[in-house]
Amino acid sequence: QSVLTQPPSVSAAPGQKVTISCSGSISNIGNNYVSWYQQLPGTAPKLLIYDNDKRYSGIPDRFSGSKSGTSATLVITGLQTGDEADYYCGTGDSSLSAGHWVFGGGTKLTVL
Amino acid sequence: EVQLVESGGGLVQSGGSLRLSCAASGFTFSRYNMNWVRQAPGKGLEWVSYISRSSSIMYYADSVKGRFTISRDNAKNSLYLQMNSLRDEDSAVYYCARPYYGMDIWGQGTTVTVSS
């Protein structure tokens, strides 16, 4: 059971838009920056978005992030087959029970 | 090129020990805090441990506290994870990751398999 809640899967057709949510609490998302990661099959995670809404170097503007209260959202527009991957949100957590950093459980994106 | 390369993974019996290493290159290692993150087969990412630039601050996930020890050698541009009393549930790919604006740099991972 992950501290941050993501939908297990989302899907959409090429060219369409998809939204991935990440829900947490005051101790994590509510008081910290959120980052998003893409993990292609068999590879290490790659940073997409940091500080809630800033694209990392080289990341196309089809990827965007936002945060409101204790939730964050990743939006991918103009879907491509190469976007099929697992996506994770992550943030700091000040709760003693959670530790220093927490991740969502991951969302598998299927481009139909 | 900014790079992190893990090593030291392998097959170990339950209750055994293993020491992972992470070699950093392409950036001034001593200026950055560092993390270990793991991913069990078919599962999501799990943060394991954090160490500050000067090794003065260390954090651990509850699941590894008291069994794992994070350390670093800035002169050797290296990060380590000493894993003792290993359990089946510690089987995973272990990544070192640089926590700078999120976790911006990740290694390719090293696989640890704990066999009972």
Side-chain angles (χ1 to χ4, degrees), chain A residues 2 35 37 39 43-47 49-51 56 86 88 96-105, chain B residues 35 37 39 43-47 50 59-60 62 65 95 98 100-109:
Chain A
S2 301
S35 48
Y37 305 85
Q39 187 176 33
T43 69
K46 180 177 80 169
L47 177 64
I49 301 289
Y50 66 95
D51 289 1
Y56 187 59
D86 293 323
Y88 295 89
L96 289 177
S97 65
H100 178 68
W101 186 273
V102 289
F103 288 102
Chain B
N35 280 316
V37 176
Q39 186 170 34
K43 302 297 184 182
L45 301 174
E46 179 189 15
W47 170 79
Y50 160 97
Y59 296 113
Y60 298 92
D62 286 346
K65 204 171 294 183
Y95 298 100
R98 187 176 81 172
Y100 186 67
Y101 291 116
M103 293 194 196
D104 67 334
I105 305 297
W106 296 67
Q108 87 289 350

Side-chain angles (χ1 to χ4, degrees), chain A residues 47 56 100, chain B residues 2-4 22 24-36 49-58 70-75 77-80 96-106:
Chain A
L47 177 64
Y56 187 59
H100 178 68
Chain B
V2 175
Q3 198 173 6
L4 296 170
C22 169
S25 60
F27 65 99
T28 306
F29 180 70
S30 60
R31 293 184 182 174
Y32 293 88
N33 306 319
M34 293 296 296
N35 280 316
W36 285 100
S49 186
Y50 160 97
I51 188 168
S52 63
R53 291 171 289 183
S54 63
S55 302
S56 59
I57 300 172
M58 288 164 276
I70 191 170
S71 63
R72 65 190 294 162
D73 185 336
N74 288 340
N77 294 327
S78 292
L79 174 72
Y80 306 102
C96 56
R98 187 176 81 172
Y100 186 67
Y101 291 116
M103 293 194 196
D104 67 334
I105 305 297
W106 296 67

Side-chain angles (χ1 to χ4, degrees), chain A residues 4-7 10 17-24 29-30 32-37 48-55 61-77 87-91 107:
Chain A
L4 305 180
T5 302
Q6 297 181 234
V10 295
K17 179 178 86 171
V18 70
T19 299
I20 299 174
S21 61
C22 175
S23 177
I29 293 179
N32 293 280
Y33 287 117
V34 175
S35 48
W36 289 91
Y37 305 85
L48 294 175
I49 301 289
Y50 66 95
D51 289 1
N52 303 330
D53 56 9
K54 295 178 178 55
R55 276 183 297 277
D61 59 8
R62 300 187 299 106
F63 294 86
S64 62
S66 63
K67 180 185 121 171
S68 178
T70 59
S71 293
T73 301
L74 175 70
V75 176
I76 311 172
T77 60
Y87 292 83
Y88 295 89
C89 57
T91 187
T107 298

